[in-house]
Amino acid sequence: MSVQERKERERAQRHQLIVATARDLAESQGWEAVTTRRLAERIEYSQPVLYSHFRGKKEIVGAVALEGFAELTTAIRRAVAEDPEDRGAVSALAHAYIDFAERNPALYDAMFLLDTGLLFADETTPAPLREAFGALLETLGDIAGDTEPALFVEVFWSALHGLAALTRSGRLPQANASRRLDILVERLAGH
Amino acid sequence: MSVQERKERERAQRHQLIVATARDLAESQGWEAVTTRRLAERIEYSQPVLYSHFRGKKEIVGAVALEGFAELTTAIRRAVAEDPEDRGAVSALAHAYIDFAERNPALYDAMFLLDTGLLFADETTPAPLREAFGALLETLGDIAGDTEPALFVEVFWSALHGLAALTRSGRLPQANASRRLDILVERLAGH
DNA sequence: GTACGATTTCTAGCATCGCTAGATTGCGAT
DNA sequence: ATCGCAATCTAGCGATGCTAGAAATCGTAC
């Protein structure tokens, strides 16, 4: 049975190669440059191979997004751990979120902008998504006051996403991005 | 010179027909269904005619977006006028914004999601965009407190957009949308 | 070592996309 | 009625995502 195991291992490796290549390409030239032909050329296989791993391009973007959620979770947890005070933690979380979006624009797009078919708040929601939401809940739940924690987290997250999305698309000027974030945190977390 | 005038009038009419058709098509079947071929067929002209009015598809989407900004402005102003009390006005504005996004999803996408090449906060920013921002500023400026009004408005707007965008893309459940909005308004406007 | 059989991979192609060059038409001016 | 210009169309280019069917590869059995 060793042969089959090797094949599976190689398959898994190639699967990961596709995801990593798509991410690389997206981060360096934007998602519009991630075409099945370019992707196939980069991994040194023909296009149909992609379809033996993924249902289509959408699912490849989804796989990249999943990586993103895992990384966002650790980025948030790390930032909060460095500043565990209530108010400081919230601010650290917010800045970590925005930093993440700024440093991985294509990854962020895959997670929150592009259509990946990934289901959020649902029974079939992939673990990394739940985990990321959990990371937010851990620190933001404390300052929810009398509002339902999950709902408050969704609101906070939405506000962060709004800033990230509008800034990224050039609809908000790059300047004062940090001041905007501070205003938001003060109002949402304040007393 | 009446001939030339008639031609210009007809041209302007056709220009508007293209925009209206693109918007119709987008609102009824999504922007991915708005192709130059389908658009040309609907207006009963060949594709190249589109390019005698617009530089390309992007500019057509931009023209639709411009309509959206004008309509958003009146929607906000009307909502605020109906409830001019400070706190009520802010809540009315927020609900009007979210209602607008929900009722005109494709239009909203053109304004805030798709790449239209429209420049925001810039000298060359089209009037309807400035006007929309102005409408926000009129009511939100009052509750900015000691923070710079323009900056506060940007933050408020971002938060609204975050809610709208995540809800629209299915990343936030449809349920409780109104409660989320109330939480947001209370935290941003309250104190 | 060789030949078979199944799995893997590739070649080639489809329909569709945004966009454009060059032919063709139609219309106002003479 | 005819000419010339402007408006419009036909036809096509290089891409896109995706797939059917041919070709090659590789483990297995003799």
Side-chain angles (χ1 to χ4, degrees):
Chain A
M1 285 303 141
S2 171
V3 168
Q4 195 172 352
E5 280 172 17
R6 197 207 65 217
K7 284 200 175 180
E8 274 174 27
R9 208 166 46 236
E10 285 172 352
R11 238 191 111 69
Q13 255 179 285
R14 198 173 57 179
H15 183 102
Q16 196 45 40
L17 175 64
I18 294 172
V19 177
T21 306
R23 179 175 172 176
D24 262 16
L25 204 44
E27 213 62 82
S28 65
Q29 305 184 227
W31 277 108
E32 74 283 354
V34 182
T35 70
T36 56
R37 279 173 178 77
R38 245 191 292 266
L39 207 43
E41 197 198 1
R42 291 265 178 124
I43 65 168
E44 299 184 302
Y45 282 97
S46 66
Q47 293 179 64
V49 167
L50 300 173
Y51 293 85
S52 79
H53 286 271
F54 302 93
R55 236 183 272 278
K57 190 187 172 181
K58 208 163 121 174
E59 211 171 277
I60 298 178
V61 181
V64 173
L66 274 190
E67 283 195 4
F69 283 104
E71 291 177 24
L72 176 59
T73 301
T74 75
I76 286 175
R77 291 227 166 97
R78 182 172 46 234
V80 169
E82 278 175 14
D83 192 349
E85 309 282 340
D86 251 29
R87 286 293 294 275
V90 173
S91 177
L93 177 147
H95 277 91
Y97 186 99
I98 296 295
D99 269 17
F100 178 87
E102 206 169 305
R103 286 221 263 268
N104 313 280
L107 188 59
Y108 190 84
D109 285 351
M111 295 163 68
F112 298 118
L113 225 62
L114 304 179
D115 179 22
T116 57
L118 252 43
L119 285 178
F120 282 57
D122 187 274
E123 295 114 34
T124 69
T125 297
L129 302 215
R130 309 181 106 89
E131 196 73 14
F133 191 81
L136 293 178
L137 201 56
E138 284 161 23
T139 38
L140 296 180
D142 296 344
I143 59 160
D146 11 326
T147 72
E148 195 179 318
L151 228 47
F152 176 73
V153 169
E154 288 172 350
V155 169
F156 201 107
W157 164 41
S158 296
L160 289 176
H161 171 68
L163 274 182
L166 292 178
T167 304
R168 162 133 178 70
S169 72
R171 285 168 169 99
L172 278 178
Q174 207 72 33
N176 291 318
S178 162
R179 281 181 67 200
R180 280 188 210 97
L181 183 54
D182 289 339
I183 292 170
L184 181 71
V185 169
E186 203 210 331
R187 295 260 177 170
L188 286 186
H191 87 129
Chain B
M1 285 300 143
S2 170
V3 168
Q4 196 170 353
E5 279 172 17
R6 196 207 64 215
K7 283 199 175 180
E8 274 172 28
R9 208 167 44 236
E10 286 172 351
R11 237 191 111 68
Q13 255 179 289
R14 199 172 57 178
H15 183 101
Q16 196 45 42
L17 176 62
I18 294 172
V19 177
T21 306
R23 179 176 173 175
D24 262 17
L25 203 44
E27 213 62 83
S28 65
Q29 305 184 226
W31 278 109
E32 74 282 354
V34 181
T35 71
T36 56
R37 281 173 178 78
R38 246 189 293 264
L39 206 43
E41 197 198 0
R42 291 267 178 121
I43 65 167
E44 298 183 302
Y45 281 98
S46 66
Q47 293 179 65
V49 168
L50 300 174
Y51 292 87
S52 79
H53 286 271
F54 302 93
R55 236 184 272 281
K57 190 187 172 181
K58 208 163 118 172
E59 212 171 275
I60 298 178
V61 181
V64 173
L66 275 190
E67 284 195 2
F69 283 104
E71 292 177 23
L72 176 59
T73 301
T74 73
I76 287 175
R77 291 227 167 98
R78 182 172 45 233
V80 169
E82 278 175 14
D83 191 348
E85 308 283 340
D86 250 29
R87 286 293 294 276
V90 174
S91 176
L93 178 148
H95 277 91
Y97 186 99
I98 296 296
D99 268 17
F100 178 87
E102 205 170 305
R103 287 221 263 267
N104 313 280
L107 187 60
Y108 190 85
D109 285 351
M111 296 163 69
F112 297 118
L113 223 61
L114 302 180
D115 179 22
T116 57
L118 252 43
L119 284 179
F120 282 57
D122 187 272
E123 296 112 34
T124 68
T125 298
L129 302 216
R130 308 180 108 90
E131 196 73 13
F133 192 81
L136 293 178
L137 200 57
E138 284 161 22
T139 42
L140 296 180
D142 296 343
I143 58 161
D146 13 329
T147 73
E148 196 179 316
L151 226 48
F152 176 73
V153 169
E154 288 171 353
V155 170
F156 202 107
W157 166 39
S158 297
L160 289 176
H161 172 67
L163 275 182
L166 292 179
T167 304
R168 159 132 179 73
S169 71
R171 284 167 169 100
L172 278 179
Q174 207 73 31
N176 291 317
S178 161
R179 282 182 66 200
R180 281 188 210 96
L181 183 54
D182 289 337
I183 292 170
L184 181 71
V185 170
E186 202 210 332
R187 296 258 175 170
L188 285 186
H191 84 111

